[in-house]
Amino acid sequence: MSKSIIQTNDAPEAIGTYSQAVKAGNTVYLSGQIPLVPSTMEIVSEAFEAQAVQVFENIQAVVSAAGGNMSNLVKVNIFLTDLGQFAKVNEVMARYFKQPYPARAAVQVSALPKGVKIEIDGVMVLPE
């Protein structure tokens, strides 16, 4: 099985020892994205909705760079510092996905990198 690294300037550059995504066969494993604006590497806003939108935009950019689209995501993991924002996540997510939706987990964590309020990672399967 071949393995390749996915990288795009349309999503924040990796800020550690990881890749934006790794493609193994026709499966793509996306690293967690936080609400950094790719061009500035700064947090988009303190507002939760703006952060959620930026994270989905970053995920969409990596998905596109890997040769797919949001409908190819089969699993997403959402990490929130406040599970009270769950309804807002659903609202924002509905802008990026149509049925059938990917499998999903949403969990509250005590902290995320750079003090952000949301991080999302995922798994995508590309058509063969």
Side-chain angles (χ1 to χ4, degrees):
M1 170 180 9
S2 64
K3 176 176 126 177
S4 59
I5 302 304
I6 307 300
Q7 192 282 326
T8 178
N9 293 330
D10 294 330
E13 65 185 56
I15 54 176
T17 54
Y18 63 93
S19 301
Q20 290 173 331
V22 176
K23 181 180 176 190
N26 67 330
T27 303
V28 181
Y29 300 90
L30 288 82
S31 291
Q33 287 291 327
I34 61 174
L36 295 177
V37 176
S39 61
T40 64
M41 293 298 288
E42 298 294 326
I43 298 168
V44 67
S45 167
E46 286 300 313
F48 179 82
E49 183 172 356
Q51 287 195 14
V53 167
Q54 186 64 55
V55 169
F56 279 109
E57 290 292 318
N58 293 345
I59 291 286
Q60 188 168 285
V62 176
V63 163
S64 179
N69 58 57
M70 296 296 272
S71 68
N72 298 125
L73 280 164
V74 296
K75 173 76 164 118
V76 293
N77 297 305
I78 302 173
F79 306 95
L80 304 165
T81 57
D82 178 4
L83 206 51
Q85 296 290 353
F86 189 72
K88 183 57 73 175
V89 168
N90 282 335
E91 180 185 310
V92 173
M93 189 170 169
R95 300 176 201 170
Y96 293 88
F97 293 93
K98 303 285 185 246
Q99 290 188 2
Y101 300 121
R104 178 181 80 178
V107 296
Q108 182 170 316
V109 296
S110 62
L112 289 167
K114 296 190 172 278
V116 301
K117 300 172 182 179
I118 183 171
E119 179 173 356
I120 300 174
D121 69 12
V123 178
M124 177 173 69
V125 176
L126 297 170
E128 294 188 42

